[in-house]
Each structure stands twice: as C-alpha cells, then as structure tokens.
Amino acid sequence: MTGVTVCCGTVNSIKALWETRIKKSKDELKKDSEQRDRRAVGRLTGAWEDRITLAKLKEKVVTEEGRVILRIEKEEWKTLPPALVQLSQIQEWQLHRIGLQRIPRFISSFESLIVLDLSRNSVTEIPKEIGKLTRLRELLLSYNRVSYVPEELGCCENLEKLELAMNRDLDELPTELSNLKKLYHLDLSMNQFTTIPDCVVNLPSLEWLDMGSNRLESLPDDIHRMEKLHTLWLPRNELEYLPDNISHMQSLDTLVLSKNKLRDIPPLMEGMSNLRFVNFRDNPLTYDVTLPDLKEDVDEEENDREMFGREFMHYYIQEARKRGSQTFMSVLNVTLDGVSETASSL
C-alpha cells in the first residue's frame, strides 16, 4: 500500500507541475498576444495620427509668386512631426509665435529650402544639419533662445540674410561664417557681444550690420575692411572711442552711435563725404556744442536729430580743433611766462 501511495503522490505532483507550466505558458502567450495587439493598434493609431497631422500641415501650405510656403502663426507646435518630411518640396518656412523649441534634424531633407523664418519662438539650438541647406538664402531666428551657432552654418554658401537679434546669451560666432561670401544683411542686435567678431569683419559682401544693444566696448582697428558696408547700427553699447580707420569706410552712409560712452569724435571723420546720416545723441562728449543755425520753424524732434547729426559732427570737430588749439596756446603762454619769470629772477 505504501508503494501505491508514493506512486499516486508522484503522479499528482507531476500533474500539478505540468498544469502550472501550461498555465504559465498560456499566460505568456496571452501577454505576448496582447502586446502584439497593442503594438499593432499603436502603429495603426500612429499612422492615423500622422495622416491627420500631415493633412493639417498641408492646409498650412500656400503658393505665392511661384514659391511653396509653409505658414503657421500663433498656434502651438513645440515640435515638428516627422511626417513633415513628406512635404520636402517646401521652399519657405514661416513659423511665427508657435512655441517651437527646436529645429528638427530632418531639416536636412528640405534641400529646396530658400527661406527659414522661425522668428519669435523658443528655439535653443541650431542643428549642424543646417549646413546641408546649400540653397538657403535667409535664416531668420530673431527673438529666440539660441546661445550657440554651429560652424556648419558656414556651409550655407548662398546665405544672403541672417538675423539673430534678441537671443540674449549669444556672444560669439564661429570663424567659419566668413565663408558666407554672399551675406549682405546681418542683425546681431540685443545680444551679449563685446566686440564685432572677426568673421563679421571678413564678410566680403556685407552691406548692412546691426549690433545695437550689445556690450561693445571697442570697434576693431581694421573695421575699414568692410568695404561694402553702407549701414552700421551701434546704439546702446559701451563704446568710449572710435578707431581712426572708421573714416576710411568709403561706402558708409548711415552710422548710428546714440547712447554710448563716446568722449570724442575722430577729426578724420570730417572727410567722410558719403556719410549722409549719423547720430551721436546721448554720448558724454568732451565739448558741449550747439549748432548755431537750428531752425525755429521745425518741430523739436527734427531739431534734435539735426543737433546730433551730420552737421553737428562737422561743427563739433571744428569746435574741438579750435578749442584744442586755444587750450594749447594757453598752456604754451603759461609755460613761456614761467620761463620768463625764472629768467628775470636770475
């Protein structure tokens, strides 16, 4: 009887073990099946969502003057969906105030892109893939949070216009940007630059430069190398003097220097015949001079503009030269009088 009992116990144990294994196997199979179903549903849902997103993006595409444009304004698009790649024929992005936080790396797929306008967003980084856009003419990223510009941007050989105003922490540019041979318009205002970067001075086609509201303490001595520059905005900086070579900028016709710390105006600037507009307002200039022929029949704003403009510059230089000469003569007379008194006492 004992043997029979043992045999029955063994069979029952084996049966229980197999039942447990079978149940576990069934549970695992059921779990795997459910996961596959969820993945399948997820793929279908994702594909359906991509279709919906793509359809929504297509509604934002317009054609103007033969150019295909993606235009989105004042909507919430913190990121751009990968489905956008299916619209790679787009030539211009105009995405304003949409809360965009980053430029997608698939931007390199848009080889036909001519204008990339992402002004007034929250973009923190320019991806190195930007260098693949060799047809790009305009890159507009003002009022974002960009703190670093990749050297690959120098590969955008057709870039003509670059705007990076009001990115707050931006204080330097890579030397490779001097490769942008066609760049004629550059806006770096309202950032943290303490000097004009060398790569900017080396831009051969630059005509318009705004570096107002930075922390510029001085201008490069070779600033005259920007031979084609005709407009230079430098208001609200920390400039205390101007290099003499600024007078050799023969193409310069607009120069704004208001709200700096200038103590003097280089006499050589008197010969800048092409300079049509200049503004020295709100600078602690050494001499307090007033134009003698301000018109009484014009409004205060125009008088103020003339007061610190081109005529003011010429009058100031003349007065500074005259007063400097008078000061020199006074010092010389005092010196000569001192010598005479010494000689008499001897």
Side-chain angles (χ1 to χ4, degrees):
M1 292 295 295
T2 301
V4 174
T5 303
V6 171
C7 182
C8 290
T10 302
V11 170
N12 289 335
S13 297
I14 293 173
K15 181 180 179 182
L17 178 62
W18 275 108
E19 288 177 347
T20 301
R21 289 183 176 180
I22 290 171
K23 185 177 184 303
K24 183 177 180 181
S25 178
K26 287 181 176 179
D27 290 342
E28 289 177 349
L29 288 173
K30 182 179 179 182
K31 185 177 180 180
D32 289 343
S33 178
E34 289 175 350
Q35 288 178 347
R36 284 196 299 271
D37 290 343
R38 281 197 295 269
R39 285 196 294 267
V41 171
R43 284 194 295 270
L44 289 172
T45 302
W48 183 249
E49 289 177 348
D50 284 346
R51 283 189 178 186
I52 295 175
T53 301
L54 186 59
K56 186 177 180 180
L57 287 171
K58 285 181 177 179
E59 293 176 357
K60 308 295 182 181
V61 177
V62 297
T63 301
E64 294 180 358
E65 299 180 356
R67 184 179 295 182
V68 183
I69 302 172
L70 174 64
R71 182 178 291 139
I72 307 176
E73 295 184 354
K74 298 180 181 179
E75 295 183 11
E76 193 68 23
W77 291 78
K78 291 184 178 180
T79 60
L80 295 173
L84 183 57
V85 174
Q86 297 183 49
L87 303 177
S88 59
Q89 77 280 7
I90 291 174
Q91 297 168 291
E92 182 171 342
W93 288 13
Q94 293 182 7
L95 312 181
H96 305 152
R97 300 179 187 274
I98 64 172
L100 188 66
Q101 296 179 346
R102 63 186 181 87
I103 302 173
R105 299 194 181 280
F106 60 70
I107 189 71
S108 58
S109 299
F110 291 80
E111 297 179 356
S112 299
L113 205 60
I114 297 174
V115 176
L116 181 56
D117 185 355
L118 306 178
S119 305
R120 298 183 183 279
N121 282 291
S122 300
V123 175
T124 58
E125 179 186 1
I126 303 175
K128 63 181 181 180
E129 285 80 4
I130 196 80
K132 301 292 185 180
L133 306 181
T134 56
R135 296 184 183 180
L136 192 66
R137 295 179 192 169
E138 297 183 15
L139 176 59
L140 313 179
L141 282 167
S142 293
Y143 293 87
N144 276 280
R145 298 177 183 176
V146 175
S147 59
Y148 170 76
V149 176
E151 62 184 44
E152 286 80 6
L153 183 59
C155 297
C156 296
E157 55 190 29
N158 285 300
L159 197 65
E160 299 175 353
K161 188 174 184 179
L162 176 60
E163 294 190 352
L164 294 167
M166 193 61 180
N167 276 281
R168 299 182 183 178
D169 294 328
L170 191 62
D171 60 2
E172 62 179 358
L173 296 176
T175 57
E176 287 78 7
L177 291 198
S178 60
N179 295 328
L180 301 177
K181 307 301 183 184
K182 296 183 180 181
L183 192 71
Y184 72 86
H185 175 109
L186 178 60
D187 189 349
L188 298 173
S189 60
M190 294 178 283
N191 285 300
Q192 298 296 319
F193 289 93
T194 57
T195 187
I196 298 179
D198 290 339
C199 64
V200 173
V201 178
N202 292 331
L203 291 169
S205 300
L206 194 62
E207 299 179 8
W208 193 98
L209 174 62
D210 189 349
M211 293 200 69
S213 299
N214 274 276
R215 296 189 295 116
L216 299 182
E217 299 173 355
S218 63
L219 300 179
D221 289 334
D222 59 349
I223 193 171
H224 61 292
R225 291 176 55 203
M226 293 191 281
E227 296 178 352
K228 294 186 177 181
L229 196 70
H230 61 68
T231 300
L232 179 57
W233 291 80
L234 298 170
R236 297 180 180 84
N237 277 289
E238 306 292 325
L239 297 173
E240 296 185 3
Y241 71 94
L242 300 175
D244 285 341
N245 277 332
I246 198 171
S247 64
H248 295 151
M249 301 180 73
Q250 298 303 315
S251 297
L252 198 64
D253 66 14
T254 299
L255 176 61
V256 180
L257 290 158
S258 52
K259 295 188 178 181
N260 274 276
K261 297 181 179 180
L262 296 173
R263 302 290 302 176
D264 200 5
I265 300 176
L268 291 174
M269 289 185 69
E270 192 174 27
M272 298 179 71
S273 56
N274 289 330
L275 193 61
R276 296 184 301 172
F277 179 85
V278 65
N279 190 342
F280 285 99
R281 182 180 179 180
D282 293 329
N283 277 281
L285 294 168
T286 300
Y287 300 111
D288 184 15
V289 302
T290 303
L291 287 177
D293 56 350
L294 286 179
K295 302 174 183 178
E296 296 182 359
D297 59 341
V298 297
D299 59 35
E300 183 178 347
E301 183 179 351
E302 187 172 344
N303 258 339
D304 186 54
R305 186 164 54 248
E306 290 182 3
M307 175 61 199
F308 298 100
R310 186 171 178 273
E311 291 183 20
F312 168 81
M313 180 186 76
H314 286 284
Y315 188 73
Y316 183 92
I317 291 173
Q318 293 169 7
E319 283 293 303
R321 188 180 292 118
K322 185 189 301 181
R323 296 185 192 185
S325 178
Q326 291 173 350
T327 301
F328 174 76
M329 291 304 297
S330 298
V331 172
L332 181 61
N333 288 334
V334 170
T335 302
L336 292 176
D337 288 344
V339 173
S340 297
E341 290 177 3
T342 303
S344 297
S345 65
L346 294 175

